[in-house]
């Protein structure tokens, strides 16, 4: 991240205290639904007070003015599906590692995220959910200035298809069961916000209905579902798709399967790993055309190897190896080393999207899908979580609850 101009203070790091008013100016602002030229954003006590254009508002005399020049202000990015980074895996009860990981996220414009589990034994999963619930609760009470905030848990596994499990260990997959789901729910203190499930599995429809009733965004994925089985899952309450095309029954012109439903049903949002490795850029372009601006969500599926040199790391209990930008376990892709700001820039290139729409797919859309109403949208009353971007999508600074991190 590069520098910016501040009046009255040395801005070497996160020195803007949310206990006084800030006035931010830049060349443009994305809400991201709308664009405002020459904006003025007033922030007080970590919350957005007002947004206007410089021609329509004067800077309050008591506000500290930060001018970001020709940059763009946008909502802080929200990663709906991420397993870790800088050597840390979210299944670990490691406060130091988690702090380093959350600082890495901020460096890449991410202000909020959903730590995503990987299939493990029942006891290991329960312990991880208990730890992650504490982390979410702690962050909700007192967000740390230079760290991204966990908003809830994405439960990926163990209700997955053996045929489309990816690298999830087969011996630890279990059939969907409401009683098992309730154990996960209780361990997570009700903080499961997203759950990936294969809708064709026996018992899946009951679990989908139960989770939906508790406010969980149910996502179909790691699935060999036929078209009819996918439709049944959606009828039961599913409304999202996990890393589209990856770990799914292939699209066939006579038997379209789960992908036929994901690509054509406007009720479903669809996440994708836009690294050019998990999905070819041509197919990324196809997904964005099928789902449109409203239905596309950028994720990273990032692992502990993100932000680290090539070598061996862990995804849950599995050892993975990073080489040539690929994360592999026994020759199979096992997550990524993608960052969300890179995903934004990639979709601009792969799908010819402008910066505003690319940012929307990494901020407003995932926040809305997961029910985080104070995130992903710049408006009065929202949390003052912003990213400052160049016109090409490079991160200049990140603002977490009104605190600037350079």
């Amino acid at each position: 991240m590069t520098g910016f101009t501040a009046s009255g203070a040395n801005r070497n790091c996160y020195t803007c205290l949310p206990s006084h008013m800030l006035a931010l100016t830049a060349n443009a602002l994305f809400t991201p639904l709308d664009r405002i030229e020459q904006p003025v954003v007033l922030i007080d006590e970590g919350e957005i007070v007002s947004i206007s254009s410089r021609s329509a508002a004067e800077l309050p005399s008591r506000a500290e003015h930060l001018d970001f020049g020709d940059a763009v202000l946008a909502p802080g990015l929200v990663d709906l599906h991420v397993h870790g980074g800088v050597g840390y895996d979210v299944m670990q009860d490691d406060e130091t590692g988690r702090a380093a990981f959350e600082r890495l996220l901020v460096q890449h414009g991410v202000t909020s995220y959903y730590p995503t589990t990987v299939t493990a034994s029942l006891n290991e999963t329960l312990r991880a959910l208990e730890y992650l619930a504490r982390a979410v609760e702690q962050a909700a009470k007192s967000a740390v200035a230079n760290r991204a905030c966990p908003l809830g848990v994405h439960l990926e596994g163990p209700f997955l298809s053996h045929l489309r499990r990816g690298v999830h260990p087969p011996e630890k997959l279990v059939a969907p069961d409401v009683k098992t789901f309730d154990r996960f729910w209780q361990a997570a203190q009700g903080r499961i916000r997203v759950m990936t499930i294969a809708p064709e599995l026996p018992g899946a429809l009951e679990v989908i209905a139960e989770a939906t009733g508790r406010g969980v965004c149910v996502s179909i994925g790691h699935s060999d579902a036929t078209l009819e089985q996918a439709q049944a899952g959606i009828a039961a309450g599913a409304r999202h798709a996990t890393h589209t095309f990856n770990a799914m029954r292939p699209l066939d012109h006579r038997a379209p399967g789960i992908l036929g439903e994901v690509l054509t049903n406007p009720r479903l949002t669809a996440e994708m790993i836009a690294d050019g490795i998990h999905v070819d850029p041509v197919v990324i372009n196809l997904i964005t055309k099928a789902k449109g601006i409203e239905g596309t969500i950028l994720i990273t599926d990032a692992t502990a190897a993100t932000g680290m040199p090539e070598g061996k790391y862990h995804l849950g209990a599995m050892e993975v190896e990073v080489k040539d930008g690929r994360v592999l376990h026994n020759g199979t892709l096992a997550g990524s080393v993608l960052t969300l700001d890179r995903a934004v820039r990639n979709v601009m290139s792969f799908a010819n999207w402008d910066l505003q729409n690319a940012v929307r797919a990494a901020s407003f859309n995932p926040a809305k899908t997961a029910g985080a109403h104070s995130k992903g949208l710049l408006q009065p009353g929202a949390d003052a979580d912003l990213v400052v971007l160049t016109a090409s999508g490079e991160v200049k600074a990140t603002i977490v609850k009104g605190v600037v991190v350079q």
Side-chain angles (χ1 to χ4, degrees):
M1 294 185 286
T2 58
F4 57 92
T5 302
S7 61
N10 178 12
R11 300 280 162 210
N12 291 326
C13 195
Y14 43 93
T15 55
C16 303
L17 301 178
S19 59
H20 69 271
M21 183 173 284
L22 289 176
L24 310 181
T25 56
N27 183 58
L29 177 143
F30 303 148
T31 64
L33 306 182
D34 298 303
R35 178 185 176 112
I36 298 173
E37 302 294 340
Q38 297 297 314
V40 177
V41 182
L42 295 183
I43 296 172
D44 199 12
E45 298 291 336
E47 186 176 288
I48 296 174
V49 176
S50 68
I51 299 175
S52 60
S53 66
R54 295 193 74 166
S55 62
E58 293 185 3
L59 298 180
S61 58
R62 71 183 183 92
E64 182 176 5
H65 179 205
L66 302 183
D67 180 24
F68 291 99
D70 60 357
V72 174
L73 303 177
L77 306 184
V78 180
D79 199 341
L80 196 64
H81 188 147
V82 58
H83 295 280
V86 287
Y88 166 78
D89 184 278
V90 303
M91 299 290 285
Q92 299 174 282
D93 186 351
D94 177 2
E95 292 291 333
T96 301
R98 181 168 64 86
F101 165 57
E102 291 172 351
R103 288 193 292 269
L104 174 74
L105 291 177
V106 168
Q107 292 171 15
H108 292 279
V110 176
T111 54
S112 304
Y113 73 103
Y114 291 81
T116 304
T117 63
V118 68
T119 300
S121 70
L122 178 62
N123 286 335
E124 288 170 328
T125 301
L126 293 172
R127 284 196 297 269
L129 291 173
E130 289 170 356
Y131 157 68
L132 291 172
R134 292 195 304 272
V136 172
E137 181 179 13
Q138 176 187 351
K141 289 180 178 178
S142 56
V144 180
N146 62 336
R147 290 166 54 178
C149 179
L151 300 181
V153 177
H154 181 161
L155 182 69
E156 188 184 21
F159 304 142
L160 311 179
S161 162
H162 279 265
L163 288 173
R164 306 294 173 190
R165 64 181 179 83
V167 298
H168 291 255
E171 71 279 6
K172 295 176 182 177
L173 298 176
V174 300
D177 174 79
V178 171
K179 185 176 293 186
T180 304
F181 168 73
D182 186 65
R183 291 191 67 182
F184 294 149
W185 180 262
Q186 298 302 329
Q189 300 176 31
R191 297 186 182 275
I192 298 172
R193 294 292 176 264
V194 184
M195 179 181 70
T196 297
I197 188 170
E200 72 275 17
L201 298 178
L205 300 184
E206 291 80 6
V207 172
I208 290 172
E210 181 66 26
T212 298
R214 300 190 192 192
V216 177
C217 170
V218 176
S219 183
I220 54 176
H222 281 281
S223 168
D224 196 49
T226 64
L227 178 67
E228 294 75 18
Q229 289 169 330
Q231 290 171 337
I234 294 163
R239 56 186 177 87
H240 185 63
T242 297
H243 43 51
T244 304
F245 275 92
N246 296 119
M248 289 182 173
R249 175 192 284 247
L251 181 67
D252 184 276
H253 63 293
R254 291 194 181 95
I258 182 175
L259 276 166
E261 187 65 15
V262 170
L263 294 174
T264 61
N265 190 330
R267 293 168 55 191
L268 283 180
T269 47
E271 62 182 47
M272 63 179 180
I273 310 169
D275 60 358
I277 296 171
H278 282 77
V279 184
D280 187 89
V282 170
V283 179
I284 289 173
N285 193 8
L286 170 65
I287 295 169
T288 61
K289 283 180 166 59
K291 300 310 298 180
I293 295 166
E294 295 183 357
T296 301
I297 291 177
L298 299 178
I299 61 157
T300 63
D301 201 14
T303 63
T306 306
M308 302 292 282
E310 291 189 350
K312 295 183 178 180
Y313 301 92
H314 279 86
L315 174 61
M318 297 173 287
E319 185 177 81
V320 297
E321 184 173 8
V322 179
K323 189 173 183 180
D324 299 327
R326 296 171 180 264
V327 184
L328 301 172
H329 174 71
N330 294 332
T332 300
L333 283 173
S336 81
V337 290
L338 180 67
T339 59
L340 203 51
D341 60 327
R342 169 58 65 182
V344 166
R345 296 191 294 274
N346 283 350
V347 83
M348 292 170 68
S349 173
F350 300 159
N352 198 30
W353 273 18
D354 62 22
L355 179 60
Q356 182 175 347
N357 288 331
V359 164
R360 171 176 174 160
S363 57
F364 176 77
N365 289 359
K368 180 181 179 182
T369 294
H373 302 298
S374 66
K375 306 293 185 181
L377 181 64
L378 301 184
Q379 64 180 5
D383 291 337
D385 292 347
L386 300 91
V387 60
V388 184
L389 299 168
T390 67
S392 61
E394 298 284 346
V395 176
K396 295 187 69 174
T398 306
I399 300 169
V400 182
K401 287 289 187 75
V403 178
V404 178
V405 185
Q406 192 179 5

